[in-house]
Amino acid sequence: MTIQAISKLYTANTNNRVVLFSTNLKEFADALAKIEPNAAPYHTMRRSFEKKSELEFTGVSGKVYLLQEVYNAKKESNLS
């Protein structure tokens, strides 16, 4: 089994707490939609993360989420 370094991590934070995370954006978007049905679909979220690494989102529950795309600094520095 080969262990690979994580290059990106997606998180959903509300009230200064991480409530969801994934290393795969599609899985992250699907899981967020289960928590908040009005969450943006994968393709929309992907386009948004291409422009910004932090997105604010208000769910139908009224909770405000900070969605983040976090990069692994070691992995990114190896690409330069």
Side-chain angles (χ1 to χ4, degrees):
M1 181 167 107
T2 304
I3 298 175
Q4 294 181 339
I6 296 171
S7 61
K8 291 183 187 177
L9 180 68
Y10 299 93
T11 65
N13 308 283
T14 187
N15 294 325
N16 294 319
R17 300 181 91 183
V18 175
V19 294
L20 176 68
F21 73 92
S22 180
T23 58
N24 179 286
L25 182 55
K26 174 78 169 107
E27 291 173 3
F28 178 77
D30 291 347
L32 184 59
K34 289 179 182 176
I35 297 171
E36 296 287 359
N38 67 321
Y42 162 73
H43 295 293
T44 302
M45 201 175 290
R46 181 178 50 85
R47 285 191 299 274
S48 297
F49 275 130
E50 287 174 357
K51 297 174 187 167
K52 298 170 76 174
S53 61
E54 293 184 350
L55 310 171
E56 195 167 290
F57 159 70
T58 302
V60 292
S61 66
K63 294 179 183 176
V64 177
Y65 295 86
L66 176 63
L67 309 180
Q68 293 181 290
E69 179 182 57
V70 183
Y71 293 90
N72 180 335
K74 287 183 181 180
K75 180 81 171 176
E76 290 300 309
S77 65
N78 291 336
L79 297 175
S80 305

